[in-house]
Amino acid sequence: MIDNGLRPGILGGLRVVEGSAFVAAPLGGLTLAQLGADVIRFDQIGGGPDFTRWPVAADGQSLFWAGLNKNKRSLQVDLTAPRGREIIRQLIAAPGEGGGIFLTNFPARGWLAYDELATGRPDLIMVVVTGNRDGSSELDYTVNAAAGWPEVTGPRDTDGPVNSVFPAWDALTGLSVALAILAAERHRRITGQGQLVELALSDVALAMTAHLGRIAQAQLGDQVPQDGNYLYGAFGLDFETSDGRRVMTVGLTSRQWRALVAATGSEAALEKVARETGEDLAGAAGRFRAREQIGAALRPWFAGRDLATVRRLLGDAGACWGPYQTFTQLVAEDPRCSAENPMFTLGHQPGVGEYLMPGTPLRFSRVPQPDARPAPGLGEHTSEILTGLLGLPESEVRDLHDQGVVASPDRSQP
Amino acid sequence: MIDNGLRPGILGGLRVVEGSAFVAAPLGGLTLAQLGADVIRFDQIGGGPDFTRWPVAADGQSLFWAGLNKNKRSLQVDLTAPRGREIIRQLIAAPGEGGGIFLTNFPARGWLAYDELATGRPDLIMVVVTGNRDGSSELDYTVNAAAGWPEVTGPRDTDGPVNSVFPAWDALTGLSVALAILAAERHRRITGQGQLVELALSDVALAMTAHLGRIAQAQLGDQVPQDGNYLYGAFGLDFETSDGRRVMTVGLTSRQWRALVAATGSEAALEKVARETGEDLAGAAGRFRAREQIGAALRPWFAGRDLATVRRLLGDAGACWGPYQTFTQLVAEDPRCSAENPMFTLGHQPGVGEYLMPGTPLRFSRVPQPDARPAPGLGEHTSEILTGLLGLPESEVRDLHDQGVVASPDRSQP
């Protein structure tokens, strides 16, 4: 097992080489790294196209890059140089039961073709992320436009679609990549076989959209309009409080609905809604059809109370609700997003400062989870990987630096 | 290995018992089932609270439930009856190297406590999904409100937050659950140990929000407003075409930016933007700061062309773009969302009709992927599971039906 200074975690002994940019592939590597795998990300000297992605700190360092590359090791190498490519090939094919795993969203051809890389390690597992199944490029934001969701998002009177800001398809692709590696490694452990695994961002989005019933619904002729912050198919809506805050409330299950009604003392008002609309509010469908009238009936209760009172009364009743928070309010007000939550470490990112860094949200009862560790400096582990994993003599590592084939952090500043 | 009529898939031999409702836990089971695991979902006789969740077909059958329970087997049982609970306990503890795995979002206490279930199988792997880390309940829609994203989503002049309609946190939790099972099963394969794995929906959301740099950004004092359909930190925007359609365009990388500029012949207009704003449009940050002026410069090009022309010209130039599509347009116009895409099967869901059903988006080169199979009828596999996996004599299975302890599909209609 590679000693990378981490506590082992449940995936101790696994080693993944990552050639990646932006969200999906790096998140796949991050997910495995935070479970204890030794994940080595290699980058072109100076950093790839995501090295300066926003959000950034005051000095221009990317908080995005830092976030997606925690717990990894970094190798900085000239990928245009034949010797640089040879180093990557050797790294991918390096021996070890848990090695021989390569994760990438770079084009898997030429020197990065599966067959080429597998000559050094026939049991190679390689996971390749593309935009579309045919290999053409596509981003979260363009896939999202195609997948239908922006047309049902946003206020009712919005002129046009509303993009999601959170890149959900990228994130789901990232977790799928991690899943693919574990599935393929299980298969290799049983059969000895490696394999190529391919995955398209648009397939992830389309599969998920279909899993939730939206493709079937469209094929059966049902059309859904933009509907503001109403929950689809049951009752859920946001309300403003007397101190200008907002809360989201949900009555999806019967239990949640009864708690919301009881907490707000709305029995009589809602009986009136049921009478006037002819809907059975005991059922989710009836609550959905009468959602506007329910909203109107509940609104005064929220408008007459401040957030602290709403929090206490809904909490006491066991209602399903939550306050809206800006990112700033989230870190200022929510104990779940603080060092009180053992998932978070108050970590120090060199050059940026201290902030909350999450480890894995998975809690295994018999294996300690590694703490979050700050992202490496670009090339921070170049020398240790070359001398350790690849077994190169120190003189050769010096020469590679001198020739500009590899670099350590001092060479990575933009 | 259980013969469940599926081609094996990469997870052939794995058996997961699922006690679940709504999205996260069922999606975890679905993900494993579509990779070839034998996933047995048990439900209270008549179905759980998600059995009628919208969207629904004309006869009230849930397209949502059907979507999230494809490729699974279904056991229908009275979970309030001691004998019903005993059957579930035996099912979870049933022998077999790939068995002894239980996935749930039910309260993991009483008869469903880990220690209780592990008496029958000390190497039990049990994954429990909760709303919050302390076990309190929380839904995607309330977690989303707390996590900050609705406050940066939607048109600039929106009064209040904009909810996402796609339940991204649920979906990510579902994939995390599948990942947790494979990680724990790998560990069990190596050490023989089972374990309890816990996972909170809110932790998944907070970790992902932090991974993308948004927590750090807030802690460092940066506040981000709602910004319509602009891409954050680079150039990306939607445009209307002459035939009233809309397209999303992205210039995140230099290559994407150059392709967009070339396709739209906007070199001169954008040089003017650069001069007037003083921004360097060759960099993503400059493109972000000048995004409004860039949008204004590009808008006439789109307004003067119909979608077909835009598609051809942007496609030829290799620009990064995509049309907005409603769910209806998606199934009518997009070949990726059709039976041309091998991920999809045109399947028949009994009582509903034919529609596109996706299998796993993961493509393994050495193992065939199981096709999507329609969701089971509630209790469709009750008898075969009791006689097969649990080895009960047929006479006892008949008695259990007669006593109302278990049920087959005829008893499941609402």
Side-chain angles (χ1 to χ4, degrees), chain A residues 317-406:
Chain A
C320 185
W321 80 288
Y324 283 87
Q325 300 175 143
T326 62
F327 296 123
T328 301
Q329 288 165 337
L330 172 63
V331 299
E333 299 178 9
D334 196 327
R336 295 172 298 185
C337 190
S338 76
E340 279 181 42
N341 182 340
M343 180 175 75
F344 283 106
T345 306
L346 192 62
H348 184 266
Q349 185 69 44
V352 176
E354 280 202 332
Y355 54 82
L356 291 167
M357 299 179 185
T360 178
L362 294 171
R363 290 169 280 150
F364 295 88
S365 62
R366 286 226 171 92
V367 181
Q369 281 64 258
D371 284 337
R373 281 164 51 117
L378 208 54
E380 182 176 334
H381 306 93
T382 296
S383 292
E384 77 175 45
I385 289 165
L386 297 181
T387 55
L389 195 55
L390 296 191
L392 302 187
E394 293 201 3
S395 58
E396 187 174 346
V397 172
R398 265 196 309 275
D399 287 349
L400 289 168
H401 276 87
D402 291 345
Q403 293 156 14
V405 173
V406 302

Side-chain angles (χ1 to χ4, degrees), chain A residues 163 194 219 229 324 356 366, chain B residues 163 194 219 229 324 356 366:
Chain A
N163 286 0
Q219 287 190 295
N229 285 344
Y324 283 87
L356 291 167
R366 286 226 171 92
Chain B
N163 285 0
Q219 287 191 293
N229 285 344
Y324 283 87
L356 291 167
R366 287 227 171 91

Side-chain angles (χ1 to χ4, degrees), chain A residues 114 122-124 187 192-196, chain B residues 364-369:
Chain A
Y114 181 83
D123 68 347
L124 175 68
H187 186 259
Q193 285 185 328
Q195 62 196 308
L196 173 64
Chain B
F364 295 89
S365 63
R366 287 227 171 91
V367 181
Q369 280 64 257

Side-chain angles (χ1 to χ4, degrees), chain B residues 236-413:
Chain B
L237 188 59
D238 60 325
F239 294 102
E240 191 166 358
T241 60
S242 65
D243 53 346
R245 292 292 296 268
R246 277 184 183 268
V247 298
M248 180 69 193
T249 63
V250 177
L252 174 57
T253 65
S254 302
R255 196 187 53 70
Q256 291 162 359
W257 174 246
R258 288 192 305 265
L260 182 62
V261 174
T264 57
S266 307
E267 291 84 351
L270 291 168
E271 270 168 40
K272 188 153 169 281
V273 167
R275 259 198 321 276
E276 288 176 2
T277 60
E279 296 294 347
D280 173 13
L281 304 189
R287 294 196 286 275
F288 180 61
R289 283 187 289 258
R291 62 196 179 282
E292 291 186 58
Q293 293 84 351
I294 294 172
L298 297 181
R299 199 164 284 116
W301 188 88
F302 291 92
R305 285 162 182 83
D306 63 11
L307 176 59
T309 307
V310 166
R311 185 187 299 272
R312 182 169 53 77
L313 295 174
L314 293 187
D316 288 351
C320 185
W321 78 287
Y324 283 87
Q325 300 175 142
T326 63
F327 295 124
T328 301
Q329 288 165 336
L330 172 63
V331 299
E333 300 177 8
D334 196 326
R336 295 172 299 184
C337 189
S338 76
E340 279 181 42
N341 182 340
M343 181 176 74
F344 282 107
T345 308
L346 192 62
H348 183 266
Q349 185 69 44
V352 176
E354 279 202 334
Y355 54 82
L356 291 167
M357 298 180 186
T360 177
L362 294 171
R363 291 169 278 150
F364 295 89
S365 63
R366 287 227 171 91
V367 181
Q369 280 64 257
D371 283 337
R373 283 164 49 117
L378 208 55
E380 182 175 335
H381 306 94
T382 297
S383 293
E384 77 175 45
I385 290 165
L386 296 181
T387 56
L389 196 54
L390 296 191
L392 301 186
E394 292 201 4
S395 58
E396 187 174 346
V397 173
R398 267 197 307 277
D399 288 349
L400 289 168
H401 276 86
D402 291 346
Q403 294 157 12
V405 174
V406 303
S408 287
D410 50 297
R411 294 284 304 277
S412 72
Q413 300 312 318

Side-chain angles (χ1 to χ4, degrees), chain B residues 33-94:
Chain B
Q34 294 208 309
L35 294 171
D38 177 22
V39 177
I40 300 173
R41 173 168 168 155
F42 66 81
D43 277 284
Q44 176 61 34
I45 293 177
D50 56 341
F51 190 53
T52 53
R53 179 84 179 102
W54 283 37
V56 292
D59 72 343
Q61 271 205 61
S62 171
L63 300 171
F64 170 97
W65 198 92
L68 286 165
N69 293 294
K70 295 187 293 283
N71 296 73
K72 297 182 190 173
R73 298 203 283 172
S74 171
L75 174 70
Q76 197 176 196
V77 59
D78 182 359
L79 299 172
T80 67
R83 181 72 180 106
R85 294 181 174 191
E86 184 54 32
I87 286 169
I88 299 302
R89 266 195 296 257
Q90 286 172 344
L91 187 64
I92 291 169

